[in-house]
Amino acid sequence: MIEISGLGKSFGSLEVLRDVDLQVERGEVVCVIGPSGSGKSTLLRCVNLLEEPTAGKVVVDGTELTDPDTDLDGARRHVGMVFQQFNLFSHLHVLDNLTIAQRKVLGRDKKTAEKIARENLERVGLAEKADAMPAQLSGGQQQRVAIARALSMNPKVMLFDEPTSALDPELVGDVLGVMRQLADEGMTMLVVTHEMQFAREVADRVLFMDGGGIIEQGPPAEVIGNPKEERTRTFLARVL
Ligand code: ADP
Ligand code: MG
């Protein structure tokens, strides 16, 4: 579903990603862990070309996004992204948050968009919040709305960048629960997270990144449970 090869990204003279190769299979859940500044967010943002790579290739479901001839807006529709900050439209009701891109980007009519929006609110356990304003919701509920909004675009892949890092601890579980359910439904997911328990239980594969590269990867029981690399051990000792 995702094929990244030789990916490099520099900001001026700062090399943030170097020669990253990564393949994510359809239905696979890959969790990315690593210290702050190691390039995790940049890697995620390169998957839908929110950042333009300085080297390498990014292919999503057979479409090369790094090909200058590719219709990027078209290709990006297939990639849902959820950020640490929920980025809801604060002046719009929840339902409108979920329908606006469906209508403007996918050209769905109002009725269809609202039906799909309500189905996805149901999916994240917030069917009764359709008419609320974002500010009336808890952080955890806002993040679940953000997930429902991404799902309403019928993505083939979901990218999550520390989706629970801005939440009060008691709200983290509901969001992780929704993500776990998505994983069970077979969604292809690339998840940057510090939630090691989630990574252990839900990930098919864990990547440890440091210094702009993938240092170690494998099943969670190996990478988190029994890491080979010293740098992975040092990182885990700090976060576990
Ligand atoms: P992580 O998500 O692992 O914390 P990031 O991918 O956000 O790491 O950042 C990796 C490095 O790239 C950091 O040194 C960061 O300061 C730098 N960086 C990220 N985005 C930009 C940008 N737009 N301009 C300049 N430097 C950036
Ligand atoms: Mg980051």
Side-chain angles (χ1 to χ4, degrees):
M1 184 59 80
I2 305 175
E3 285 185 81
I4 293 171
S5 50
L7 179 67
K9 175 67 184 174
S10 298
F11 295 104
S13 61
L14 180 68
E15 192 181 30
V16 173
L17 293 175
R18 68 195 75 193
D19 204 20
V20 172
D21 295 319
L22 171 62
Q23 299 208 350
V24 180
E25 304 299 325
R26 194 177 298 270
E28 196 180 14
V29 178
V30 176
C31 284
V32 181
I33 62 172
S36 180
S38 57
K40 306 181 299 295
S41 293
T42 306
L43 172 63
L44 231 60
R45 293 166 62 81
C46 282
V47 174
N48 59 3
L49 252 68
L50 284 180
E51 296 289 357
E52 195 178 344
T54 22
K57 238 168 107 165
V58 176
V59 179
V60 175
D61 197 28
T63 301
E64 186 188 341
L65 274 72
T66 36
D67 179 342
D69 293 334
T70 294
D71 164 24
L72 262 190
D73 288 338
R76 280 195 185 115
R77 288 173 201 176
H78 302 303
V79 182
M81 185 145 183
V82 174
F83 302 88
Q84 183 173 336
Q85 299 303 336
F86 329 122
N87 299 333
L88 296 178
F89 300 114
S90 59
H91 62 293
L92 294 181
H93 290 99
V94 165
L95 194 67
D96 294 339
N97 263 279
L98 269 68
T99 56
I100 189 165
Q102 292 189 66
R103 298 185 65 191
K104 291 200 175 198
V105 180
L106 302 182
R108 286 180 183 150
D109 63 66
K110 187 164 189 275
K111 202 169 153 222
T112 305
E114 289 189 350
K115 178 169 177 285
I116 291 169
R118 288 185 192 279
E119 284 165 7
N120 282 299
L121 283 175
E122 175 90 51
R123 211 165 159 191
V124 302
L126 292 174
E128 78 287 6
K129 297 294 186 189
D131 299 320
M133 295 300 281
Q136 296 171 314
L137 304 179
S138 73
Q141 290 172 332
Q142 289 186 52
Q143 190 59 300
R144 282 148 65 200
V145 169
I147 294 171
R149 180 174 61 177
L151 292 174
S152 295
M153 302 296 282
N154 303 108
K156 296 175 179 172
V157 176
M158 286 284 285
L159 309 176
F160 293 88
D161 193 356
E162 298 195 34
T164 59
S165 293
L167 300 178
D168 290 334
E170 77 272 20
L171 303 177
V172 167
D174 286 343
V175 173
L176 293 180
V178 166
M179 292 168 63
R180 185 185 295 256
Q181 173 195 321
L182 272 184
D184 289 343
E185 289 169 9
M187 179 63 76
T188 307
M189 295 166 53
L190 188 55
V191 183
V192 175
T193 187
H194 294 294
E195 295 289 338
M196 293 301 148
Q197 191 62 29
F198 176 83
R200 263 179 190 273
E201 291 173 12
V202 181
D204 297 301
R205 180 155 47 113
V206 172
L207 306 182
F208 173 69
M209 283 185 74
D210 197 10
I214 297 170
I215 305 300
E216 176 165 5
Q217 60 175 302
E222 286 173 22
V223 176
I224 300 175
N226 187 22
K228 290 191 193 69
E229 300 291 332
E230 185 56 40
R231 279 199 269 179
T232 316
R233 281 197 285 269
T234 308
F235 170 74
L236 289 169
R238 284 205 310 268
V239 299
L240 285 179

